[in-house]
Amino acid sequence: MKELADVQAGAPAIDIAIDRVGVRGLRFPLRLRDRARGIQTVTARGALGVDLPASRRGTHMSRFVEVLDAWQEELGCQSMRNLLERLRERLGSSRAWASFEFAYLMRKPAPASAGAAGMAYDCSVSAELAEQLACTLGIQVPVMTVCPCSRAISAVGAHSQRALIRMKIRIERFVWLEDVILLAEAAGSSPVYPLLKREDEKFVTEAAFASPAFVEDVARRVAASLEAHPHALAFEVEVESMESIHNHNAFAVIRGGAGQ
Amino acid sequence: MKELADVQAGAPAIDIAIDRVGVRGLRFPLRLRDRARGIQTVTARGALGVDLPASRRGTHMSRFVEVLDAWQEELGCQSMRNLLERLRERLGSSRAWASFEFAYLMRKPAPASAGAAGMAYDCSVSAELAEQLACTLGIQVPVMTVCPCSRAISAVGAHSQRALIRMKIRIERFVWLEDVILLAEAAGSSPVYPLLKREDEKFVTEAAFASPAFVEDVARRVAASLEAHPHALAFEVEVESMESIHNHNAFAVIRGGAGQ
Amino acid sequence: MKELADVQAGAPAIDIAIDRVGVRGLRFPLRLRDRARGIQTVTARGALGVDLPASRRGTHMSRFVEVLDAWQEELGCQSMRNLLERLRERLGSSRAWASFEFAYLMRKPAPASAGAAGMAYDCSVSAELAEQLACTLGIQVPVMTVCPCSRAISAVGAHSQRALIRMKIRIERFVWLEDVILLAEAAGSSPVYPLLKREDEKFVTEAAFASPAFVEDVARRVAASLEAHPHALAFEVEVESMESIHNHNAFAVIRGGAGQ
Amino acid sequence: MKELADVQAGAPAIDIAIDRVGVRGLRFPLRLRDRARGIQTVTARGALGVDLPASRRGTHMSRFVEVLDAWQEELGCQSMRNLLERLRERLGSSRAWASFEFAYLMRKPAPASAGAAGMAYDCSVSAELAEQLACTLGIQVPVMTVCPCSRAISAVGAHSQRALIRMKIRIERFVWLEDVILLAEAAGSSPVYPLLKREDEKFVTEAAFASPAFVEDVARRVAASLEAHPHALAFEVEVESMESIHNHNAFAVIRGGAGQ
């Protein structure tokens, strides 16, 4: 059989270098360290890319899939480096990048009763390897916020809502997802829970009303905690609250850390 | 130039009739009756379809686009009928169907201050013409709910959240979107507003805490109002609340009306 | 401590029965039968509901979470029945309903080379228990379609695109996801693959161009296969193609089966 | 009536400055310059934000809504500046930011027949005012791509698909959306069209097969055009193709321009 042409290896009509080229929407099993259970395997959604010099027409898309498929390591900064080195090698590129999204399940006890149930947190890990490895952890944590203004000015009550804390954290070594989740949950008026019996609902309501917080307050608390975190090199925290009195949302963003 | 083959007009390999075939994701300008301003033109997203007999291989997709493009009427049951009759005629079908989605803007005054601003409501209209025309109006209305249980059992406060009321209403004649929106907004603990100054926020908080409502309560109030509506032949109402104490939602569904 | 009021157990202000009330957006680990590996555990998204009589104000939302959390069975019609019976019992309802969504991973060999990689299929299972159990399997399968019209009228080439086959199948007993997926993949111009080396890409292109198919053709082929399937009691198949020559999609729907 | 407390104006518990705080999900009518018709009014989705010093607990969310509601200008760099200056003034901030998303409708003639229909392009404009104004235009343009590799190695045909070109362009003065759209449409194997009669489908198929293009090729063509554009100061172009032979997508990104 005659050799099939390698069209991608040819010269492009326009000699502009490409910053990143690759594939998106791959789904694959990903093994995560889980403090309670050792290992948790999730179905992640992945994207992979490399740079492409001005002299090469195209990358070889199937190699991304092969490299990811062969990579069976537990998620961490070192394993991401291994994946990206393999990508650079197979694609002949100077830079390589990967980004994964997944839901992390944690067992969450109710605050007052003996109940417990599982709850999922949307997480991501992305990393780029150029001269050095830059690895970023993303975690979204829902909390409850009670509005301090509504609380102060109203004769009774205060509006509350679910708010989402989204953190992007530059890391160099392993960080427990559980630690970051707890840190964020402490920053709202109250954590949210999968299972609340009546005594729990009373507990959560009263605790939340004792600690009203604007999105600005929540963002600052998370920022202060991340500033104090030994392994968070730099971070961005965004808090978005689904205001119960409006059909639009409020948000606040803080960027911080040594690597800022 | 020789005639291009009409592949669609041929016989299919498998002689099964097709219930509905057509196009989705068309976007086009749609003219709506607006009580305050006369006419409101929005960019709608549309889908169109017809049935196809077992003897015909394919429909002619471009004709859907032509018919919609030529249809310039103000939205209503009669104009939907005109559109569907034209579709049946051009596609040679026995049934025709159309569905449009759009955001309807209304000016909404604040409840206590002199302020006002615009707010959008996600709406839809779908219609099928077979022997008769069946026309359905869809409207989504956000409201605030204060939890009656949390209110009753807590020493202070109660959790509240944004909830979405989604109505599907079988109609035979024109119904003002504004009327249905107001009816739904009256069913929550409070309407939500685009603009609330401090005195408004106090007003809304106190009004909402004076009228706590479960999703079940809201669904029943909307159902009762739609039962009483002279032009709602049948309906489905779904209320979904973005519980501020959970990361999951609560919902309730009621179907009712003469046409049930 | 004094007993906390059971507000939900009271009488509603409006005595209308509620068709379905419950929770949505629960995420939990779900065990699936996997023909290649025995068991596959996925993180599913779940919704649960029951009916509520006109005489009861509210359901008890936390019990849905408890019942689901305690249900640890492998997915199947019998285990869904067990879950729904438990729900009815705990909620004191006459009907119960559950719906789960998840991604099912399968290893998929390339058609010509020795390569293989994983691919995910979006699936769902929903069931309602009233007098009898009605169980519905949902599977979405992407395929490639080459347009027969474009192929017939053009001097060279034909437009092709990714199309999605969405099936809802009423079942009474266990059906392998793998079987339904393969049946659907055989209905397009070609299956799609996670990993294609050059010889595979040549193979897929040539195979697809040898078998051009409209959305109508694909829907009919799937319908014929499901009509012949011994355990598909009734079905709805929808094919939606992301037309490469348009910014809108084409679709076709067929409903069939004994239970129609 | 006694004055209501201004809780936001107080000092925060944690004195960290906030990079951006504001509101999201506002929907409002936006007037755009339209080359064919003079003015096109769309329903946009908007977000607004400002910075907040370490000494102030909260911003005043309602003022964002008021300022946007009062801003009735036609979209452009100067009008965005006016909006942001007003925001800074009303919020007492040093920086202000706004971002709008909307669908822009254009009439699009078929390439061979006399047909024509409307087609929508998803667009955005965002701007930040600090010492200077930085204004960014975003436009997404769908095109068709025919795979050069598949074309070269296959005995017949080649896979094609819809691809999305997403551009972010730093601008200082008005740029016609129409010009950028046309520039992007020229970069694929073929533009896509809302209405194609049979002779048009033949034309598009043959034209696309005469000009096969990888995502890398498309990205380079757009980059070269934007490099040559007199008013594009800097840009990022991303091309994502919904590969018809896979269930995942391919993408390529190039950043360029003087302001890079």
Side-chain angles (χ1 to χ4, degrees):
Chain A
M1 189 176 107
K2 82 169 169 40
E3 186 82 5
L4 297 174
D6 185 352
V7 181
Q8 285 87 343
I14 299 171
D15 61 345
I16 295 179
I18 294 197
D19 290 280
R20 188 175 288 168
V21 57
V23 293
R24 270 186 196 156
L26 298 174
R27 293 197 283 182
F28 65 101
L30 178 62
R31 296 169 62 233
L32 306 167
R33 286 181 69 179
D34 177 324
R35 189 139 69 184
R37 289 170 293 178
I39 287 289
Q40 179 175 153
T41 301
V42 298
T43 298
R45 184 175 287 271
L48 302 167
V50 295
D51 62 327
L52 189 75
S55 58
R56 290 251 316 276
R57 183 170 180 193
T59 191
H60 290 92
M61 299 285 183
S62 66
R63 298 184 191 173
F64 293 102
V65 181
E66 288 176 309
V67 168
L68 182 65
D69 188 71
W71 179 73
Q72 306 274 349
E73 300 177 59
E74 195 180 295
L75 185 67
C77 290
Q78 183 56 46
S79 66
M80 288 296 273
R81 175 186 288 278
N82 296 344
L83 172 69
L84 297 176
E85 282 177 350
R86 184 62 57 89
L87 271 183
R88 280 209 301 204
E89 193 181 303
R90 283 296 308 282
L91 276 306
S93 68
S94 58
R95 285 178 281 136
W97 165 90
S99 180
F100 304 149
E101 295 171 9
F102 52 90
Y104 186 72
L105 278 175
M106 267 177 68
R107 191 121 194 109
K108 201 161 176 62
S113 75
M119 185 165 140
Y121 297 85
D122 290 311
C123 298
S124 65
V125 169
S126 69
E128 186 167 36
L129 181 65
E131 287 84 48
Q132 296 202 296
L133 182 76
C135 196
T136 302
L137 182 61
I139 310 184
Q140 177 174 294
V141 177
V143 296
M144 179 185 180
T145 59
V146 171
C147 177
C149 171
S150 170
R151 180 103 171 86
I153 64 179
S154 306
V156 58
H159 68 85
S160 62
Q161 48 271 317
R162 197 188 301 160
L164 299 168
I165 300 174
R166 298 185 191 103
M167 295 164 284
K168 295 276 178 192
I169 309 172
R170 276 285 308 280
I171 54 173
E172 272 183 340
R173 41 176 295 174
F174 182 79
V175 169
W176 286 105
L177 293 173
E178 289 84 346
D179 283 344
V180 180
I181 290 168
L182 290 177
L183 161 172
E185 288 186 336
S189 295
S190 169
V192 303
Y193 297 88
L195 176 64
L196 293 173
K197 302 303 293 178
R198 260 205 301 278
E199 61 265 42
D200 300 310
E201 185 168 358
K202 174 179 165 65
F203 181 96
V204 166
T205 305
E206 293 172 2
F209 272 76
S211 181
F214 290 124
V215 286
E216 294 95 328
D217 295 324
V218 181
R220 279 167 165 141
R221 288 176 201 165
V222 175
S225 294
L226 289 176
E227 291 283 3
H229 193 291
H231 304 315
L233 305 184
F235 63 85
E236 178 177 291
V237 53
E238 173 183 285
V239 182
E240 178 164 3
S241 75
M242 296 178 275
E243 298 289 292
S244 60
I245 57 173
H246 296 301
N247 198 30
H248 59 261
N249 294 353
F251 75 96
V253 178
I254 298 177
R255 284 178 283 270
Q260 194 179 11
Chain B
M1 193 176 104
K2 81 170 165 50
E3 186 84 3
L4 296 174
D6 186 351
V7 182
Q8 285 87 343
I14 300 172
D15 60 346
I16 295 179
I18 295 197
D19 290 281
R20 189 175 287 168
V21 55
V23 293
R24 270 187 196 156
L26 298 173
R27 293 198 283 182
F28 66 101
L30 178 62
R31 295 168 64 233
L32 307 166
R33 285 181 69 179
D34 177 324
R35 189 140 67 183
R37 289 170 293 178
I39 287 288
Q40 179 175 154
T41 301
V42 298
T43 298
R45 183 175 289 272
L48 302 168
V50 294
D51 62 328
L52 189 73
S55 57
R56 288 254 315 277
R57 182 170 182 195
T59 190
H60 290 92
M61 300 285 183
S62 65
R63 297 184 192 172
F64 294 102
V65 180
E66 287 175 311
V67 169
L68 183 64
D69 189 71
W71 180 72
Q72 308 272 349
E73 299 177 59
E74 197 179 295
L75 185 66
C77 290
Q78 183 55 47
S79 65
M80 288 296 273
R81 176 186 287 276
N82 297 343
L83 172 69
L84 296 175
E85 283 178 351
R86 184 63 55 91
L87 271 183
R88 281 207 301 202
E89 190 183 303
R90 282 298 307 282
L91 277 307
S93 67
S94 58
R95 284 178 282 134
W97 166 89
S99 180
F100 304 148
E101 296 171 7
F102 53 89
Y104 186 73
L105 278 174
M106 266 177 66
R107 190 121 196 109
K108 201 161 175 59
S113 75
M119 187 164 139
Y121 297 83
D122 290 310
C123 299
S124 66
V125 169
S126 69
E128 186 167 36
L129 181 64
E131 288 81 49
Q132 294 202 296
L133 182 76
C135 194
T136 302
L137 181 62
I139 310 185
Q140 176 175 293
V141 176
V143 296
M144 180 184 179
T145 59
V146 170
C147 178
C149 171
S150 169
R151 181 102 170 86
I153 65 179
S154 306
V156 59
H159 68 86
S160 62
Q161 48 272 317
R162 197 190 299 162
L164 299 170
I165 300 172
R166 298 186 190 102
M167 295 163 285
K168 296 275 178 193
I169 308 170
R170 278 285 308 280
I171 54 173
E172 275 183 337
R173 42 178 292 174
F174 182 79
V175 169
W176 285 105
L177 294 173
E178 289 84 346
D179 283 343
V180 181
I181 290 168
L182 289 176
L183 159 172
E185 289 185 336
S189 294
S190 169
V192 302
Y193 297 89
L195 175 64
L196 293 173
K197 301 305 293 179
R198 258 204 302 277
E199 61 265 42
D200 299 310
E201 186 169 355
K202 175 180 165 63
F203 181 96
V204 167
T205 304
E206 294 172 1
F209 271 75
S211 180
F214 291 122
V215 286
E216 294 95 327
D217 295 324
V218 181
R220 279 168 165 141
R221 288 177 201 164
V222 175
S225 294
L226 290 176
E227 291 283 4
H229 193 292
H231 304 316
L233 306 184
F235 62 85
E236 178 178 291
V237 53
E238 172 184 285
V239 182
E240 177 165 4
S241 76
M242 296 177 275
E243 297 290 290
S244 60
I245 59 173
H246 296 301
N247 198 31
H248 58 260
N249 294 353
F251 75 95
V253 177
I254 297 175
R255 283 179 283 272
Q260 197 181 6
Chain C
M1 191 177 106
K2 81 167 166 48
E3 186 83 4
L4 297 175
D6 185 352
V7 182
Q8 285 86 344
I14 299 171
D15 60 348
I16 296 179
I18 295 198
D19 291 279
R20 189 175 288 168
V21 56
V23 294
R24 267 185 198 157
L26 299 174
R27 291 197 285 182
F28 66 101
L30 178 62
R31 295 168 63 233
L32 306 167
R33 286 180 70 180
D34 177 325
R35 189 140 66 182
R37 288 170 296 179
I39 287 289
Q40 179 175 155
T41 301
V42 298
T43 298
R45 184 174 289 273
L48 302 168
V50 295
D51 62 328
L52 189 74
S55 58
R56 290 253 313 280
R57 182 170 182 195
T59 191
H60 290 92
M61 299 284 183
S62 67
R63 297 182 192 173
F64 293 101
V65 181
E66 287 175 311
V67 169
L68 182 65
D69 190 70
W71 181 72
Q72 307 272 350
E73 299 176 60
E74 197 179 295
L75 185 66
C77 290
Q78 183 55 48
S79 66
M80 289 296 275
R81 175 185 288 275
N82 296 344
L83 172 70
L84 296 176
E85 282 177 351
R86 183 64 55 89
L87 272 182
R88 280 207 302 202
E89 190 183 303
R90 284 294 311 282
L91 276 306
S93 67
S94 58
R95 283 179 282 135
W97 165 89
S99 180
F100 303 149
E101 295 170 8
F102 52 90
Y104 186 72
L105 277 174
M106 267 176 67
R107 191 121 195 108
K108 203 163 174 56
S113 75
M119 188 164 137
Y121 297 83
D122 290 311
C123 298
S124 65
V125 169
S126 69
E128 186 166 35
L129 182 65
E131 289 83 49
Q132 295 200 296
L133 181 75
C135 196
T136 302
L137 181 62
I139 309 184
Q140 177 175 293
V141 176
V143 296
M144 179 184 179
T145 58
V146 170
C147 177
C149 172
S150 170
R151 181 103 170 84
I153 64 178
S154 305
V156 59
H159 68 85
S160 62
Q161 47 270 319
R162 197 189 300 159
L164 300 169
I165 299 173
R166 299 185 189 101
M167 294 163 285
K168 296 278 179 190
I169 308 172
R170 278 286 308 281
I171 54 173
E172 272 183 339
R173 42 177 294 174
F174 181 79
V175 169
W176 286 106
L177 293 174
E178 290 83 347
D179 283 343
V180 181
I181 290 169
L182 289 177
L183 161 173
E185 288 185 337
S189 295
S190 169
V192 303
Y193 296 89
L195 176 64
L196 292 173
K197 301 305 293 181
R198 257 204 301 278
E199 62 265 42
D200 299 310
E201 186 169 356
K202 175 180 166 63
F203 181 96
V204 167
T205 304
E206 294 171 2
F209 272 75
S211 180
F214 290 123
V215 287
E216 293 95 329
D217 295 323
V218 181
R220 280 169 164 139
R221 289 177 200 165
V222 175
S225 295
L226 289 175
E227 291 284 2
H229 193 291
H231 304 316
L233 306 184
F235 63 84
E236 178 178 293
V237 54
E238 172 182 287
V239 182
E240 177 165 2
S241 75
M242 296 178 275
E243 298 289 290
S244 60
I245 59 172
H246 296 301
N247 197 32
H248 58 261
N249 294 353
F251 75 97
V253 178
I254 297 175
R255 284 178 283 271
Q260 195 180 9
Chain D
M1 189 177 106
K2 84 168 165 48
E3 186 83 5
L4 297 174
D6 185 352
V7 183
Q8 285 86 343
I14 299 171
D15 60 345
I16 295 178
I18 294 197
D19 290 280
R20 187 177 289 168
V21 57
V23 294
R24 268 187 199 156
L26 299 173
R27 291 197 284 181
F28 66 101
L30 177 61
R31 295 168 64 233
L32 306 167
R33 286 180 70 180
D34 177 324
R35 191 141 64 184
R37 289 170 294 177
I39 287 289
Q40 178 174 154
T41 301
V42 297
T43 298
R45 183 174 288 273
L48 301 168
V50 296
D51 62 327
L52 189 74
S55 58
R56 290 254 311 278
R57 183 170 181 194
T59 190
H60 290 91
M61 299 285 183
S62 66
R63 297 183 192 173
F64 293 101
V65 180
E66 288 175 312
V67 169
L68 182 64
D69 189 71
W71 181 72
Q72 308 271 351
E73 299 177 59
E74 194 181 296
L75 184 67
C77 290
Q78 183 55 47
S79 65
M80 288 296 273
R81 175 186 289 276
N82 297 344
L83 172 70
L84 297 175
E85 282 177 351
R86 183 62 57 90
L87 271 182
R88 281 208 301 205
E89 191 183 304
R90 283 296 309 282
L91 277 305
S93 68
S94 58
R95 284 179 282 135
W97 166 89
S99 180
F100 304 148
E101 295 170 9
F102 52 90
Y104 186 73
L105 278 175
M106 267 175 67
R107 191 121 194 109
K108 201 159 176 60
S113 74
M119 185 165 141
Y121 297 84
D122 290 310
C123 298
S124 67
V125 169
S126 69
E128 186 167 37
L129 181 64
E131 288 84 47
Q132 295 200 297
L133 181 76
C135 196
T136 302
L137 182 61
I139 310 184
Q140 176 175 295
V141 177
V143 295
M144 180 187 180
T145 58
V146 171
C147 177
C149 172
S150 170
R151 180 103 169 85
I153 65 179
S154 306
V156 58
H159 68 85
S160 62
Q161 48 272 319
R162 197 189 300 160
L164 299 169
I165 300 173
R166 298 185 190 102
M167 295 163 284
K168 296 277 178 191
I169 308 171
R170 278 284 309 281
I171 55 173
E172 273 183 340
R173 41 178 293 175
F174 181 80
V175 169
W176 287 105
L177 293 173
E178 288 84 347
D179 283 343
V180 180
I181 289 168
L182 289 177
L183 161 173
E185 289 186 335
S189 295
S190 169
V192 302
Y193 296 88
L195 176 64
L196 293 173
K197 302 305 290 179
R198 258 205 301 278
E199 61 264 43
D200 299 310
E201 186 169 357
K202 175 179 164 63
F203 181 96
V204 167
T205 304
E206 294 172 1
F209 272 75
S211 180
F214 291 123
V215 285
E216 294 96 325
D217 295 324
V218 181
R220 279 168 164 141
R221 288 177 201 165
V222 175
S225 293
L226 289 175
E227 290 284 3
H229 192 291
H231 304 317
L233 305 183
F235 63 85
E236 178 178 291
V237 54
E238 173 183 285
V239 182
E240 178 166 3
S241 75
M242 297 178 274
E243 298 288 292
S244 59
I245 58 172
H246 296 301
N247 198 30
H248 59 260
N249 295 352
F251 75 95
V253 178
I254 297 175
R255 283 179 283 272
Q260 194 179 10

